[in-house]
Amino acid sequence: MKEGPHIARIAALIGDTARAEMLSALMGGQALTATELATQAGITKQTASAHLARLVEARLLQVQAQGRHRYYQLADEDVARLLESLMGVAFRAGAVRLRSSPREPALRQARVCYDHLAGDQGVQAFERLLARRLITPDAQQPALTPAGAAFFQDFGIDVDALAHQRRPLCRRCLDWSERRHHLGGSIGAALLQRLLALGWARRQAGSRVIAFTPMGERHWRERFELPSGPAEPRHLPAATGRRSASAG
């Protein structure tokens, strides 16, 4: 007897090249129009609209109307985590793009994953939080310790308000480029917003890249007790002739 959810439908939706490109474009957490997503996928707006309708029906995306425009976003953090995990599997399997983007080293250094910080900077920060026992090491559902709550509160994040949200406060998110975890959940989202608000980092236009200012990176490393100086960029595995539609 067959049991459990039927994953083939969702896998087939994500597996289409154009839809995978559009889903990857939405990993930055921003709402995009069908025209913008069509450009990302290299297809016509009419074709994109048909694909987007299927993704909304499957609850992988949500859509909001504003004036004459309709804006599409990932449905929730669970969808983002699924896509990030798929990117990690594709990366490990060597299913990389035959032509790497000039931004790829920067993406692996620091980027937006839905609404929180990913890449080497995000992974390092999460590992330091664990090492300093500011977050519990629970593999299923990590949590802030009292010292961790005080740490984030002192950083200007209202931990009490976040704790009353329906969204989990802390979540492990497997990083596709580092193959280790970074910090998701509402505290991860608040952390990224705080970095941007302080001016320590900014988001590059039209990209998921997060670029730290020299002073911002220094403050960031001091606050999280990270090693000084950026880590050496990791190299992509050699291309195997397979092209990935979702390694962005």
Side-chain angles (χ1 to χ4, degrees), residues 13-210:
L13 283 170
I14 296 174
D16 176 85
T17 300
R19 290 194 289 267
E21 292 288 0
M22 291 190 287
L23 288 166
S24 296
L26 292 170
M27 279 292 286
Q30 296 174 317
L32 299 175
T33 65
T35 300
E36 291 168 325
L37 290 167
T39 300
Q40 291 285 338
I43 56 178
T44 66
K45 180 182 176 182
Q46 291 74 18
T47 301
S49 295
H51 283 309
L52 290 167
R54 295 186 64 185
L55 293 170
V56 170
E57 182 184 10
R59 300 183 183 179
L60 293 175
L61 297 183
Q62 58 179 324
V63 58
Q64 292 183 345
Q66 185 172 328
R68 297 185 300 108
H69 299 289
R70 290 162 64 85
Y71 291 89
Y72 296 86
Q73 289 178 291
L74 297 183
D76 52 36
E77 189 180 13
D78 284 340
V79 176
R81 292 174 70 209
L82 170 62
L83 295 173
E84 185 81 359
S85 295
L86 286 172
M87 290 176 183
V89 172
F91 184 92
R92 186 176 68 248
V96 298
R97 296 181 187 275
L98 298 181
R99 292 185 179 179
S100 297
S101 164
R103 288 175 170 161
E104 192 141 356
L107 275 170
R108 285 181 279 141
Q109 183 66 24
R111 67 181 180 277
V112 178
C113 174
Y114 185 52
D115 62 359
H116 50 269
L117 183 66
D120 181 67
Q121 295 280 19
V123 167
Q124 284 193 55
F126 182 60
E127 291 180 349
R128 286 302 299 152
L129 290 169
L130 290 171
R132 295 170 62 186
R133 300 184 179 179
L134 301 179
I135 291 181
T136 63
D138 191 318
Q140 296 301 318
Q141 187 65 62
L144 289 183
T145 63
F151 172 86
F152 282 104
Q153 200 76 39
D154 184 60
F155 193 48
I157 294 174
D158 190 343
V159 176
D160 291 335
L162 295 178
H164 287 89
Q165 295 182 3
R166 294 180 59 185
R167 182 180 183 182
L169 190 62
C170 299
R171 258 188 166 170
R172 289 175 178 265
C173 187
L174 186 61
D175 196 283
W176 70 257
S177 58
E178 296 301 308
R179 309 185 204 182
R180 306 198 306 274
H181 292 93
H182 57 251
L183 179 63
S186 60
I187 199 74
L191 175 60
L192 176 58
Q193 289 306 310
R194 185 62 177 151
L195 283 175
L196 299 176
L198 288 170
W200 290 7
R202 60 180 175 79
R203 181 167 180 166
Q204 289 189 0
S207 172
R208 293 169 61 192
V209 171
I210 295 293

Side-chain angles (χ1 to χ4, degrees), residues 198-201 212-222:
L198 288 170
W200 290 7
F212 281 78
T213 66
M215 181 178 294
E217 183 164 359
R218 185 166 64 251
H219 287 315
W220 166 253
R221 291 186 176 279
E222 289 173 354

